[in-house]
Amino acid sequence: MLQTELRTHTCGELTLKDLGQQVVLCGWVQRSRDLGGMTFIDLRDRYGITQLAFNMETHKEQCIKARQVGREFVIRTIGKVTERSNKNTKLPTGEIEIVVDTLEILNTALTPPFTIEDHTDGGDELRMKYRYLDIRRNPVREALQLRHKLAMETRSYLDKQKFLEVETPVLIKSTPEGARDFVVPSRMNPGEFYALPQSPQTFKQLLMIGGFDRYFQIVKCFRDEDLRADRQPEFTQIDCEMSFVERKDILDMFEGLIRHLFKTVKGIDLPSLPHMTYAKAMKLYGCDKPDTRFEMTFVELNSTVKGKGFKVFDDAGLIIGICAKGCGEYTRKQLDELTEFVKRPQIGATGLVYARYQQDGTIKSSVDKFFNAEELKKWSEVLQAQPGDLMLILAGEPNKTRKAMGELRLEMGNRLGLRNAGTFSCLWVIDFPLLEWNEEAKRWFAMHHPFTSANPEDLHLLEDDPGAVRANAYDMVVNGVEIGGGSIRIHNKETQALMFQRLGFTEEEALEQFGFLLNAFEYGAPPHGGIAFGFDRICSLFGGVESIRDFIAFPKNNKGRDIMIDAPSKISEEQKKELHIILAPI
Amino acid sequence: MLQTELRTHTCGELTLKDLGQQVVLCGWVQRSRDLGGMTFIDLRDRYGITQLAFNMETHKEQCIKARQVGREFVIRTIGKVTERSNKNTKLPTGEIEIVVDTLEILNTALTPPFTIEDHTDGGDELRMKYRYLDIRRNPVREALQLRHKLAMETRSYLDKQKFLEVETPVLIKSTPEGARDFVVPSRMNPGEFYALPQSPQTFKQLLMIGGFDRYFQIVKCFRDEDLRADRQPEFTQIDCEMSFVERKDILDMFEGLIRHLFKTVKGIDLPSLPHMTYAKAMKLYGCDKPDTRFEMTFVELNSTVKGKGFKVFDDAGLIIGICAKGCGEYTRKQLDELTEFVKRPQIGATGLVYARYQQDGTIKSSVDKFFNAEELKKWSEVLQAQPGDLMLILAGEPNKTRKAMGELRLEMGNRLGLRNAGTFSCLWVIDFPLLEWNEEAKRWFAMHHPFTSANPEDLHLLEDDPGAVRANAYDMVVNGVEIGGGSIRIHNKETQALMFQRLGFTEEEALEQFGFLLNAFEYGAPPHGGIAFGFDRICSLFGGVESIRDFIAFPKNNKGRDIMIDAPSKISEEQKKELHIILAPI
């Protein structure tokens, strides 16, 4: 099928069924071996590796040429498919080789700065500088092939569900709500700037108002943020919106999507997704994106442990315990490691209380001074610990304690091998708070975004107890990672104006920034809602890798630089003049 | 299939087979008619229109409510599918109506500023300001649905041919070659700028060097140009590249694509595409994107008409004639119109010579003073004119004359109804010149781009006669529109360096701007080539409409403004400060 003027086959398809055929192959030299009378070259392309054989006796000239080609040379070769004596059963093409008549060097190659192997000797920066060589390596190529497949299957599913892919503009308007915008000076409109979209949120809502009913787009979005480890200034979303729907419709539709992706891409039949409230997630897992591959859920111990004279517990707003199965015989060193872990500044606990339920039935705790055997026995009952288990307890201010225990739980999951990248546990987290208080700005912020509707049951609280209002919002969480989130939107002007007011916008500001949306609501806006998935994150999840970088063809580094092409870079005075801008003195 | 909590069916699917069913529909009020005892509402959604019937006798309350809803109100309605007495056979749903039990107003609507009908009373600017209402109209919605379908079928074809869709970065590096870049100031790299891509050209070549073999992407590109009628600052390409190919492979592959699109989207079996050289296209049609839906090709008349004392012809570098079939009886007024046409500054001819071959066999020309009946007869033989035909002749400097005659030919095609939007004539134009001389810059420019390879047969001319070197480049032309173009690329460093030199780059400039590509060529670059199609243009071609605007969901106007969201706009002082830029005084 891939036959071209330059080749008849790829390096991944010839097998014993092709014996005797005259073929033309092109590709890169993976390695060559010179065995005196014979020279062998492993020829590589995207599709596989095929062995070329050069015989010094019968094809002296070609054989001598073959001995001169180096790693990563590009060659074209004509020869006959022949059965190998020394078969490699690990390769699809491993039972044949090409006995070469003609060898043509299409291009030479310098020695690559790192090896083109699955496990390379190149560091991150070097690999990024020579990304065009890095993507020759199987793991990177396969990551990008997986991305292609996921995108194709996403489109296939959504197209069948009557979603239309609509391209929304990239040159839009800057809005101060949310993260920082990248902006683009306009030459034709001096002093004015476009912004690159952080998401197509308002456009997809306008498409719903425009009657498009079901929209999606796999789309680049942009955020000018200080880059943490695994953030990129440009990233890709699967962005979706539906009209005439309630929450259940959206959850069903996109549970369908994720199940389709797991089925077609990984051959996994995902069980149906449980719905967990935000409140329950916080209570049982200490975070809104619980890793549900394993249990080890929180048990609140306030009523169990208070009042025994142990000040740390008695003064604490919240005391939480978890039970680590089978860790009852942890050594002093291991327990010290855990204490160190929770005391790290990122975790922020002041200490860790533990109680080892030994195989002989006795319980040894780090607070034996305050709690007797009977009391510790009670702990084990509440925590459902058995002999051989380890009870771990944190105490303090409730939110901080939950957060710290969430981290400790994940650490214990890692130690116990409960967080296997090949196992997938998906769920919906629902009923998020609508608003969160920002102490610095002294105002409420939308937890999701300002277009999210409130749970109708809670609307009466909006005036007096805004923090208690639940949003009609939802996140899809897989293995402790939020891969998508969305909400049922506000679809009338009064409610939207009220929300902007709640968020501290003056009427003027609201009109200036979102006037077009508020106006649009007056011309017959349907009830609608949607979701956006982080596509880079989904790719890395399916690839079983933590970092998203290998799933992006040409990623940027932590300073937002593309070190391969050396961007960003200076521009000419002429360009700046045309754009009506001057550099600020530094 | 589309059942949700809010509706059981869409407005496009209920027919006689559903009689008696209780259904729930949602949508917009297209129109309502009040006939005393009965009120009818046409309910519209993306899928169609369904008639709702309200009976004043049996459902008084609902009927009164129905009389209060205005155009574009959003309603939800429950009722029974019933056979209509007054059937509309033009609508799929025209044989039934819904006898309504319950009517719920989901949202009200102001009267739209223009009618939501196929032929609207809204002007261009008004429609763009309220684009979310404009896209409710069938022609615009259908244009965007067509776009979705074309994108899906493009991906389907290319995926089957083993192309991988790879996303290339949007924040890249500014290069002065080509059109003007949009730039993005970098906050984290003070004084430096990203550029938005005019095309992913270098990245797709790097993907080939990286062994990806077959790449495509449907991708947004950006050009900061003064906008002519039908240009947009952001536009979409189908961008493709293949390794180990020669020209024939690319032409075959993408002939396959266009045939697939015509077949699946329009049900048309396209004949295979002829290949026409650039030289032939210029000679016969006076342009490199000939409209081949009709003949009327150029005939060079120098040897036929010179030397008869008519100074205009005698002084001319080139004299061209065309024969307009059946226009021999054109009136004086019509002929004057044609003369006016060619004298318009955009066309630039100084005058038009014509000769009417009358039905009685005589020939009347505008230059009877200089040419006798016998000579005019000779013209008719050379131009293959018959009684009833009109011969049209232009003379002057060769390039200008070809261009003017090309325009006149298209004008005659229009007048004769030979340019039907439902007829498609596709071809490849090949063998373009590699370089063109720019008189202003006093240097050669790449006609396609600096990465295009030369026809190997012509390489020896590069030093002494650069203008004669043919490029290994090709354009796909449909109905006089270039919808795609590409080339076999240079794939070794020396040739690329030579090309940059020919284009007046110093070695330093070439290295600074394209060093990463030149370096990449040293690590084993395969022979490769590709093509890019203008996707907006393909959509408008398939839609049978000249303008691309309706095929873009949210287009910008001629000043590059989005007048719906009012972008570009001012940004805050804080933003500019963070980006290290100051506005230039105006």
Side-chain angles (χ1 to χ4, degrees):
Chain A
M1 192 171 88
L2 284 180
Q3 185 163 352
T4 65
E5 301 276 300
L6 281 177
R7 66 184 171 192
T8 59
H9 294 80
T10 71
C11 297
E13 61 183 313
L14 294 168
T15 61
L16 286 177
K17 71 178 183 342
D18 305 297
L19 281 188
Q21 266 203 63
Q22 186 81 359
V23 298
V24 190
L25 297 185
C26 288
W28 286 261
V29 174
Q30 178 72 25
R31 64 184 69 83
S32 65
R33 294 180 303 286
D34 184 4
L35 305 181
M38 293 290 291
T39 294
F40 296 98
I41 288 180
D42 284 350
L43 188 66
R44 186 197 72 230
D45 65 13
R46 183 183 117 197
Y47 311 94
I49 281 184
T50 298
Q51 177 166 298
L52 310 177
F54 299 81
N55 190 319
M56 195 62 175
E57 262 178 48
T58 59
H59 294 80
K60 189 171 174 186
E61 196 191 331
Q62 305 298 329
C63 194
I64 289 171
K65 213 192 232 179
R67 287 177 189 187
Q68 288 157 0
V69 305
R71 265 176 32 192
E72 301 303 319
F73 273 44
V74 185
I75 62 175
R76 178 171 183 261
T77 185
I78 307 177
K80 193 188 272 188
V81 183
T82 312
E83 186 161 4
R84 265 163 83 164
S85 52
N86 188 9
K87 291 182 181 164
N88 178 346
T89 53
K90 283 183 201 151
L91 281 183
T93 60
E95 296 188 291
I96 58 100
E97 65 190 7
I98 312 300
V99 175
V100 175
D101 295 320
T102 308
L103 170 65
E104 184 187 348
I105 296 173
L106 296 174
N107 218 339
T108 59
L110 297 180
T111 303
F114 49 84
T115 56
I116 310 298
E117 303 282 353
D118 292 6
H119 296 280
T120 182
D121 55 356
D124 271 4
E125 288 279 302
L126 197 63
R127 287 175 49 208
M128 280 176 73
K129 183 167 166 60
Y130 295 91
R131 185 65 167 174
Y132 47 87
L133 299 179
D134 196 32
I135 59 176
R136 285 186 191 166
R137 301 190 310 112
N138 290 323
V140 186
R141 198 197 60 244
E142 283 162 9
L144 292 167
Q145 280 176 308
L146 175 68
R147 186 179 180 109
H148 166 75
K149 176 113 170 99
L150 282 163
M152 287 297 294
E153 289 298 343
T154 297
R155 288 195 168 92
S156 162
Y157 174 85
L158 293 172
D159 178 61
K160 281 206 188 76
Q161 300 291 338
K162 302 250 188 267
F163 284 77
L164 295 173
E165 186 161 26
V166 179
E167 292 174 54
T168 53
V170 176
L171 296 171
I172 64 166
K173 183 174 175 162
S174 187
T175 56
E177 190 74 6
R180 215 182 272 108
D181 284 321
F182 282 106
V183 300
V184 180
S186 168
R187 180 179 56 86
M188 287 204 277
N189 303 275
E192 298 190 329
F193 293 77
Y194 302 98
L196 304 183
Q198 296 181 32
S199 95
Q201 181 63 31
T202 47
F203 290 99
K204 67 178 177 175
Q205 293 194 247
L206 291 172
L207 285 170
M208 294 303 104
I209 294 169
F212 268 57
D213 208 74
R214 294 181 169 197
Y215 144 90
F216 84 101
Q217 192 181 187
I218 300 184
V219 60
K220 273 276 174 77
C221 300
F222 306 87
R223 263 177 222 170
D224 185 10
E225 288 180 295
D226 295 318
L227 301 173
R228 275 177 281 154
D230 212 24
R231 288 263 183 116
Q232 289 281 321
E234 49 181 300
F235 55 97
T236 304
Q237 284 189 353
I238 305 171
D239 192 49
C240 308
E241 198 80 4
M242 300 170 77
S243 287
F244 301 116
V245 290
E246 295 184 337
R247 186 176 75 186
K248 180 180 185 311
D249 303 309
I250 305 230
L251 300 193
D252 289 350
M253 177 62 71
F254 294 98
E255 172 165 339
L257 171 62
I258 199 77
R259 288 165 59 85
H260 175 81
L261 292 181
F262 270 103
K263 183 69 185 169
T264 53
V265 177
K266 295 195 79 76
I268 291 174
D269 279 302
L270 212 61
S272 61
L273 273 59
H275 299 185
M276 185 184 293
T277 63
Y278 172 85
K280 186 174 171 191
M282 294 307 288
K283 192 175 167 72
L284 294 185
Y285 300 93
C287 82
D288 58 2
K289 40 180 196 280
D291 185 343
T292 50
R293 277 174 296 188
F294 64 106
E295 289 285 335
M296 212 189 288
T297 48
F298 294 7
V299 178
E300 295 187 4
L301 298 174
N302 289 30
S303 60
T304 312
V305 302
K306 280 201 176 216
K308 309 291 169 181
F310 181 43
K311 200 167 170 353
V312 172
F313 285 173
D314 291 347
D315 291 354
L318 180 66
I319 304 136
I320 309 172
I322 57 174
C323 169
K325 291 277 162 206
C327 301
E329 308 296 331
Y330 258 34
T331 61
R332 180 77 209 187
K333 181 161 172 287
Q334 288 174 301
L335 293 164
D336 284 350
E337 279 168 14
L338 293 181
T339 305
E340 297 280 300
F341 176 85
V342 299
K343 285 168 110 171
R344 288 159 52 188
Q346 312 93 293
I347 313 292
T350 49
L352 172 68
V353 171
Y354 58 80
R356 299 188 298 109
Y357 201 154
Q358 301 182 117
Q359 289 294 359
D360 64 8
T362 60
I363 302 179
K364 289 267 170 207
S365 86
S366 55
V367 286
D368 281 354
K369 262 193 280 186
F370 301 97
F371 298 91
N372 60 31
E374 194 187 336
E375 282 159 344
L376 293 177
K377 184 79 184 170
K378 181 119 183 274
W379 292 16
S380 72
E381 282 159 19
V382 177
L383 282 165
Q384 297 189 298
Q386 305 292 326
D389 295 347
L390 173 67
M391 295 173 267
L392 296 168
I393 298 166
L394 293 176
E397 188 276 320
N399 285 337
K400 279 189 184 162
T401 306
R402 284 202 184 90
K403 182 176 169 295
M405 186 54 104
E407 298 291 341
L408 179 59
R409 175 181 171 272
L410 294 179
E411 170 65 15
M412 291 312 296
N414 286 338
R415 287 175 174 246
L416 289 166
L418 301 172
R419 304 183 71 199
N420 181 345
T423 307
F424 297 94
S425 178
C426 313
L427 74 156
W428 287 108
V429 177
I430 58 173
D431 288 348
F432 282 83
L434 182 67
L435 301 165
E436 51 187 353
W437 181 255
N438 184 307
E439 195 50 44
E440 219 169 298
K442 297 278 179 213
R443 71 165 173 101
W444 294 97
F445 276 79
M447 193 156 176
H448 188 53
H449 56 51
F451 313 107
T452 300
S453 67
N455 186 324
E457 291 167 30
D458 298 351
L459 260 183
H460 63 282
L461 300 168
L462 199 54
E463 258 330 288
D464 299 330
D465 189 5
V469 178
R470 289 169 298 169
N472 211 337
Y474 30 80
D475 277 359
M476 190 186 280
V477 173
V478 185
N479 293 3
V481 176
E482 181 226 311
I483 62 163
S487 64
I488 299 295
R489 323 299 182 188
I490 296 166
H491 69 280
N492 78 58
K493 186 178 176 170
E494 290 69 36
T495 315
Q496 187 65 68
L498 188 69
M499 180 61 67
F500 282 133
Q501 193 189 321
R502 252 277 148 263
L503 297 173
F505 283 65
T506 66
E507 204 177 319
E508 242 176 21
E509 286 168 342
L511 273 178
E512 196 195 318
Q513 289 168 37
F514 297 107
F516 58 97
L517 187 64
L518 290 169
N519 280 341
F521 281 152
E522 300 210 88
Y523 289 97
H528 62 286
I531 193 166
F533 292 92
F535 187 54
D536 309 293
R537 181 58 61 203
I538 287 180
C539 292
S540 76
L541 180 79
F542 273 71
V545 174
E546 289 250 330
S547 165
I548 61 172
R549 273 205 198 163
D550 276 350
F551 298 84
I552 296 170
F554 299 101
K556 293 188 173 55
N557 75 5
N558 285 348
K559 292 215 170 99
R561 293 200 73 83
D562 182 326
I563 57 175
M564 180 185 70
I565 63 171
D566 193 24
S569 62
K570 294 198 165 31
I571 59 173
S572 70
E573 289 307 315
E574 179 61 24
Q575 276 176 293
K576 279 174 275 186
K577 197 175 159 196
E578 282 192 327
L579 297 170
H580 326 284
I581 56 172
I582 299 171
L583 290 187
I586 295 171
Chain B
M1 191 172 89
L2 284 181
Q3 185 163 351
T4 65
E5 300 276 299
L6 281 177
R7 67 184 171 193
T8 58
H9 295 81
T10 71
C11 297
E13 62 183 314
L14 294 168
T15 62
L16 286 177
K17 71 177 185 339
D18 305 297
L19 282 188
Q21 266 202 63
Q22 186 81 358
V23 298
V24 190
L25 297 185
C26 288
W28 286 262
V29 174
Q30 179 71 26
R31 65 184 68 82
S32 65
R33 293 179 305 287
D34 184 3
L35 305 180
M38 294 291 290
T39 294
F40 296 98
I41 288 180
D42 284 350
L43 188 66
R44 185 196 72 230
D45 66 13
R46 182 184 120 197
Y47 311 94
I49 281 185
T50 297
Q51 178 165 298
L52 310 177
F54 299 82
N55 190 320
M56 195 61 175
E57 262 179 48
T58 58
H59 294 80
K60 190 171 172 185
E61 195 190 333
Q62 305 300 327
C63 194
I64 289 171
K65 213 192 230 179
R67 287 177 189 186
Q68 288 157 0
V69 304
R71 269 178 26 195
E72 302 302 319
F73 273 44
V74 185
I75 63 176
R76 178 169 184 261
T77 185
I78 306 176
K80 192 188 274 188
V81 182
T82 312
E83 187 162 4
R84 266 162 84 165
S85 52
N86 187 8
K87 290 179 182 166
N88 178 346
T89 52
K90 283 182 201 151
L91 282 183
T93 60
E95 297 188 291
I96 59 100
E97 64 191 8
I98 311 300
V99 175
V100 175
D101 295 319
T102 308
L103 170 65
E104 183 186 348
I105 295 174
L106 296 174
N107 217 338
T108 59
L110 297 179
T111 303
F114 50 84
T115 56
I116 310 297
E117 303 282 353
D118 292 6
H119 297 280
T120 181
D121 55 356
D124 270 5
E125 287 280 302
L126 197 63
R127 287 174 49 208
M128 280 177 74
K129 184 167 165 61
Y130 294 92
R131 185 66 167 174
Y132 47 88
L133 298 179
D134 197 31
I135 58 176
R136 285 186 192 166
R137 301 191 309 112
N138 290 324
V140 185
R141 197 198 61 242
E142 283 161 9
L144 292 167
Q145 279 176 309
L146 175 69
R147 186 178 180 110
H148 165 75
K149 176 112 169 98
L150 281 164
M152 287 297 292
E153 289 297 343
T154 298
R155 288 195 168 93
S156 161
Y157 175 85
L158 293 173
D159 178 61
K160 280 205 188 75
Q161 300 292 338
K162 302 250 188 266
F163 283 77
L164 295 173
E165 185 160 28
V166 179
E167 293 174 54
T168 53
V170 177
L171 297 171
I172 64 166
K173 183 173 174 162
S174 188
T175 58
E177 190 74 4
R180 214 183 272 109
D181 283 322
F182 283 106
V183 301
V184 180
S186 168
R187 179 178 58 86
M188 285 203 279
N189 303 275
E192 298 190 327
F193 294 77
Y194 301 99
L196 304 183
Q198 297 181 32
S199 95
Q201 181 63 32
T202 47
F203 290 99
K204 67 179 177 174
Q205 294 194 245
L206 292 171
L207 286 170
M208 293 305 104
I209 294 168
F212 269 56
D213 208 71
R214 296 182 168 195
Y215 144 90
F216 84 101
Q217 190 182 188
I218 300 185
V219 59
K220 273 277 174 78
C221 300
F222 305 86
R223 265 177 220 170
D224 184 11
E225 288 180 295
D226 296 317
L227 301 173
R228 276 179 281 154
D230 212 23
R231 288 262 183 115
Q232 289 280 322
E234 49 180 300
F235 55 97
T236 304
Q237 285 189 354
I238 306 171
D239 192 49
C240 307
E241 198 79 3
M242 301 169 76
S243 287
F244 301 116
V245 289
E246 295 183 338
R247 186 175 75 186
K248 181 179 184 311
D249 303 310
I250 305 230
L251 300 193
D252 289 350
M253 178 61 72
F254 294 99
E255 172 165 340
L257 171 61
I258 199 76
R259 288 165 59 85
H260 175 81
L261 293 180
F262 269 103
K263 183 69 185 171
T264 53
V265 176
K266 295 195 79 75
I268 291 174
D269 279 303
L270 212 60
S272 63
L273 272 59
H275 299 183
M276 185 184 294
T277 64
Y278 171 85
K280 186 174 170 190
M282 293 307 288
K283 193 175 166 70
L284 295 185
Y285 300 93
C287 83
D288 59 2
K289 38 179 196 282
D291 185 343
T292 49
R293 277 175 296 187
F294 65 107
E295 290 285 334
M296 210 188 290
T297 47
F298 295 6
V299 178
E300 295 188 3
L301 298 174
N302 289 30
S303 59
T304 311
V305 303
K306 280 203 176 213
K308 309 291 168 179
F310 181 45
K311 201 168 167 356
V312 172
F313 285 173
D314 291 349
D315 291 354
L318 181 66
I319 305 136
I320 308 171
I322 58 173
C323 170
K325 291 277 162 204
C327 300
E329 309 295 330
Y330 257 35
T331 61
R332 181 75 210 190
K333 181 162 172 284
Q334 288 174 302
L335 293 163
D336 284 351
E337 279 169 13
L338 294 182
T339 306
E340 297 281 299
F341 177 84
V342 299
K343 286 168 109 172
R344 287 159 53 187
Q346 311 93 293
I347 313 292
T350 50
L352 172 69
V353 171
Y354 59 81
R356 299 189 296 109
Y357 201 153
Q358 303 182 115
Q359 289 294 359
D360 65 7
T362 61
I363 303 180
K364 289 266 171 207
S365 86
S366 55
V367 286
D368 281 354
K369 262 192 280 186
F370 302 97
F371 298 90
N372 60 29
E374 194 187 335
E375 282 160 344
L376 293 177
K377 184 78 187 174
K378 183 118 183 274
W379 291 17
S380 72
E381 280 159 20
V382 177
L383 282 165
Q384 297 188 299
Q386 304 292 325
D389 294 349
L390 174 66
M391 294 174 267
L392 296 167
I393 299 166
L394 293 176
E397 189 275 320
N399 285 338
K400 280 191 183 161
T401 306
R402 282 202 185 91
K403 181 176 169 295
M405 186 55 104
E407 297 291 342
L408 179 59
R409 175 181 172 273
L410 294 179
E411 169 66 16
M412 292 312 296
N414 285 337
R415 286 175 175 245
L416 288 166
L418 300 172
R419 305 183 70 199
N420 181 344
T423 307
F424 297 94
S425 178
C426 312
L427 74 157
W428 287 108
V429 176
I430 58 173
D431 287 348
F432 283 82
L434 182 68
L435 302 165
E436 52 188 353
W437 181 256
N438 184 306
E439 196 48 47
E440 219 170 298
K442 298 277 179 212
R443 72 163 173 103
W444 293 96
F445 276 79
M447 193 156 175
H448 187 56
H449 56 49
F451 313 108
T452 300
S453 67
N455 186 322
E457 292 168 29
D458 298 351
L459 261 182
H460 63 284
L461 300 167
L462 200 54
E463 258 330 288
D464 299 331
D465 189 5
V469 177
R470 289 169 298 169
N472 210 338
Y474 31 79
D475 276 1
M476 190 185 281
V477 174
V478 185
N479 292 3
V481 176
E482 182 225 310
I483 62 164
S487 63
I488 298 295
R489 323 298 182 189
I490 296 166
H491 69 279
N492 78 58
K493 186 179 179 172
E494 290 70 35
T495 315
Q496 188 65 68
L498 188 69
M499 179 63 65
F500 282 133
Q501 192 188 323
R502 253 275 150 263
L503 297 173
F505 284 65
T506 66
E507 205 178 317
E508 243 176 21
E509 286 168 342
L511 273 179
E512 196 195 317
Q513 290 168 36
F514 298 107
F516 58 97
L517 186 63
L518 291 170
N519 281 340
F521 280 153
E522 300 209 89
Y523 289 97
H528 62 287
I531 193 165
F533 292 92
F535 187 53
D536 308 294
R537 181 57 61 202
I538 287 181
C539 292
S540 75
L541 180 80
F542 273 71
V545 174
E546 288 250 330
S547 164
I548 60 171
R549 273 204 198 162
D550 276 351
F551 298 84
I552 296 170
F554 299 101
K556 294 189 172 55
N557 75 5
N558 286 347
K559 293 215 169 100
R561 292 200 74 83
D562 182 326
I563 58 176
M564 179 184 72
I565 63 171
D566 193 23
S569 62
K570 295 198 166 31
I571 59 173
S572 70
E573 289 307 315
E574 178 63 22
Q575 275 176 295
K576 280 174 276 186
K577 196 174 159 197
E578 281 192 327
L579 296 171
H580 326 285
I581 56 173
I582 298 172
L583 291 187
I586 296 172

